[in-house]
Amino acid sequence: LSICSKLCYAIGGAPNQVAGSAAAFFLQIYLLDIAHITPFHASLVLFIGKASGAVTDPVAGFFISKSRWTKVGRLMPWMLACTPFTVVSYFFMWYLPPFVSGRVAWYLTFYCLFQALTTLFQVPYSALTMFLSTDQKERDSATAYRMTMEVLGTLIGAALQGQIVASAHLSHHCTVNPPVNTTDTWHDTPSFPDPTDPLSHQVIYMIAAGVIGGVYLLGIVILFLGVKEKDDPYALNSDRAIPFCKGLGLTMKHGPYVKLTASFLLISTAVQLEQSNFVLFCTHAADLRNHFQYLVVTILVSAAVSIPFWQKFLQRFGKKCAACGISWMIPFAVMLVTIPNLILAYLVAFVSGLSIAASLLLPWSMLPDVVDNFRLQNPHGKGHETIFYSSYVFFTKMSAGIGLGISAAGLEFTGYKPGMCRQSNDVILTLKILIGAVPAILILVGLFILLFYPITEESRKETKLALEVLR
């Protein structure tokens, strides 16, 4: 694979991360403080939206596995077709409708559409790794390029959104009001946008959505022009495509896949909880409301620059060993919760970026090894790649949706009130638990499960040799 092909492949996946990052960091606080829907309804939107995207994964895998080969490949037409609709749904996800009573239904509809459409892009895009090359090193290299660009996309999304919409969350009256108002109602400290202001907060969010929509269109053009999808040149004419339902049953019985998925669905849920609650934590629990956008940028810059380091590390010491880096964020996050200090916050942001980079790179680098291992055990079947990728994304999305729904419902239960300068002590304690204790437990359990993952560097090389002999 040429460097140009790897770059074009990597750039193609970045827009999904740009939009996903903006939503992960800012959608919850947007729904609470700009759209003024209750934490309970926000939890419904977040959970049902994630669940709809998760349910779309096996459906997308089913139809993609039955797709026929075209002049531009089997996977590329799906990515081209869904991108324009994704842009439209993303834009309206940040639009503030003039009516109040139906806002929950509005955001639920467009968030579900956005999640489903990004799934229709992500499943063929991630499975495309297997159709770039049959060489494991080339695929690992392409995955490293992809993860670097996706982390940069996450950085661009958070930075763009953060810089554009930061003014919507800087409530100037909060510096004037007395700090002791935890028993007051939120009506006493209104921080809502003035609807008569032409540059109101809702317009700022729509500008950010329009910019990110343009990034989507640019990314798909580069992917289409720079990447050629290749069928497996070593597949036999007698090989038959595995039926989707049968293939799904076989994947659920495949030990390496089950252990990998179980481990990283817990780890990815922990990262999602950190992302979705970080801005709320900085604003209400750590008195860092003027620094949250810079802390988010610090996290993502750290993640972006450390991807090449992790790629070299896993090549030298193995992928399971590199997974230990995911645990680095735990002690620092606990320190930030117990000692909310500005300098410590930036240190935590930097270390968290290192851990997030490892958590992003490793599953997508290890999944092709699982697919190869399955191929070796089922030598005369084909078409199973999309089944593995779609079901993996299904489980990670579903677990993240449950986690986000529970976290937003927890804020509702403890009395979060939109527009209030200072939240109650119960809300602050809940945010500290969601940032510190819960992600730490999920990561530790996920890493414990990964200890039993059977594919080592030695067995990976043996699988590669066996596949070459078989071909």
Side-chain angles (χ1 to χ4, degrees):
L1 287 174
S2 67
I3 293 177
C4 180
S5 294
K6 293 176 187 176
L7 277 174
C8 291
Y9 169 66
I11 291 171
N16 248 5
Q17 303 308 313
V18 173
S21 169
F25 280 108
F26 294 96
L27 183 59
Q28 181 163 277
I29 198 169
Y30 169 82
L31 294 174
L32 294 173
D33 288 359
I34 306 298
H36 305 158
I37 69 176
T38 67
F40 174 72
H41 287 134
S43 71
L44 284 180
V45 171
L46 293 172
F47 170 69
I48 297 175
K50 284 284 186 182
S52 69
V55 170
T56 310
D57 282 298
V59 176
F62 174 77
F63 286 107
I64 292 169
S65 66
K66 289 185 173 296
S67 300
R68 294 185 177 182
W69 189 268
T70 67
K71 291 182 179 179
V72 294
R74 185 160 59 95
L75 304 174
M76 190 68 72
W78 287 88
M79 294 180 273
L80 291 171
C82 69
T83 298
F85 299 102
T86 306
V87 173
V88 173
S89 64
Y90 181 79
F91 180 81
F92 283 111
M93 194 173 81
W94 300 100
Y95 176 71
L96 191 67
F99 47 84
V100 177
S101 59
R103 280 185 185 173
V104 175
W106 175 277
Y107 291 113
L108 185 59
T109 299
F110 284 104
Y111 188 51
C112 287
L113 272 175
F114 173 71
Q115 288 292 335
L117 288 165
T118 52
T119 295
L120 287 176
F121 180 94
Q122 191 66 27
V123 169
Y125 175 76
S126 55
L128 186 61
T129 310
M130 302 300 298
F131 298 95
L132 294 176
S133 173
T134 55
D135 185 80
Q136 288 180 351
K137 284 188 177 180
E138 288 295 309
R139 292 199 304 249
D140 285 348
S141 177
T143 300
Y145 273 83
R146 171 192 160 193
M147 286 299 113
T148 303
M149 290 306 301
E150 287 194 354
V151 173
L152 284 173
T154 305
L155 168 62
I156 292 168
L160 271 176
Q161 191 89 353
Q163 295 302 318
I164 293 173
V165 309
S167 61
H169 301 287
L170 293 177
S171 303
H172 299 292
H173 74 282
C174 287
T175 59
V176 178
N177 285 349
V180 185
N181 64 347
T182 55
T183 58
D184 296 343
T185 62
W186 57 271
H187 297 288
D188 296 331
T189 57
S191 61
F192 303 140
D194 180 4
T196 61
D197 183 1
L199 291 176
S200 63
H201 301 167
Q202 61 204 43
V203 176
I204 293 172
Y205 267 96
M206 288 169 62
I207 291 170
V211 172
I212 291 175
V215 173
Y216 252 110
L217 298 176
L218 179 63
I220 191 64
V221 169
I222 293 174
L223 178 68
F224 175 70
L225 296 177
V227 175
K228 280 192 173 184
E229 183 182 340
K230 302 173 184 176
D231 206 357
D232 186 351
Y234 303 104
L236 299 174
N237 292 330
S238 58
D239 288 354
R240 293 184 178 181
I242 299 175
F244 184 83
C245 293
K246 180 183 176 182
L248 190 60
L250 290 172
T251 59
M252 294 301 102
K253 297 175 184 176
H254 192 61
Y257 178 71
V258 172
K259 293 180 177 66
L260 180 72
T261 303
S263 171
F264 278 99
L265 70 81
L266 294 174
I267 292 169
S268 65
T269 301
V271 173
Q272 285 273 342
L273 285 173
E274 291 273 359
Q275 283 184 320
S276 64
N277 292 291
F278 188 76
V279 176
L280 283 170
F281 174 81
C282 291
T283 303
H284 298 298
D287 198 24
L288 297 169
R289 70 169 64 237
N290 295 324
H291 294 272
F292 71 79
Q293 67 266 39
Y294 306 112
L295 289 167
V296 168
V297 169
T298 302
I299 291 172
L300 298 172
V301 168
S302 170
V305 300
S306 62
I307 287 282
F309 161 76
W310 286 117
Q311 176 65 14
K312 294 289 185 185
F313 187 95
L314 65 87
Q315 284 179 346
R316 182 162 185 179
F317 299 103
K319 297 177 182 180
K320 285 179 69 173
C321 185
C324 297
I326 300 171
S327 63
W328 291 356
M329 74 166 74
I330 295 175
F332 290 94
V334 172
M335 286 170 62
L336 178 63
V337 166
T338 53
I339 315 168
N341 173 277
L342 181 60
I343 296 174
L344 180 61
Y346 277 99
L347 179 61
V348 170
F350 176 77
V351 176
S352 295
L354 298 178
S355 297
I356 288 171
S359 71
L360 289 173
L361 176 63
L362 282 171
W364 296 112
S365 180
M366 296 166 85
L367 197 53
D369 301 336
V370 173
V371 176
D372 278 346
N373 183 271
F374 181 85
R375 179 68 183 269
L376 186 62
Q377 295 181 20
N378 299 270
H380 297 295
K382 63 179 181 179
H384 52 276
E385 295 86 1
T386 53
I387 300 173
F388 273 98
Y389 282 86
S390 62
S391 54
Y392 174 79
V393 179
F394 166 79
F395 288 117
T396 52
K397 277 188 180 178
M398 185 61 78
S399 63
I402 293 170
L404 293 177
I406 291 173
S407 74
L411 293 175
E412 167 84 9
F413 180 75
T414 52
Y416 181 90
K417 294 176 181 177
M420 200 168 171
C421 291
R422 290 187 181 273
Q423 299 291 335
S424 68
N425 290 331
D426 288 340
V427 172
I428 292 172
L429 178 62
T430 301
L431 287 170
K432 288 181 176 181
I433 292 172
L434 291 173
I435 285 290
V438 177
I441 293 170
L442 291 174
I443 288 171
L444 289 174
V445 175
L447 291 176
F448 177 75
I449 294 172
L450 198 63
L451 289 175
F452 301 96
Y453 175 71
I455 299 178
T456 62
E457 291 305 298
E458 292 74 17
S459 66
R460 192 166 70 91
K461 291 174 183 176
E462 290 171 2
T463 300
K464 178 184 177 182
L465 179 62
L467 281 176
E468 288 176 353
V469 171
L470 183 68
R471 286 162 174 161

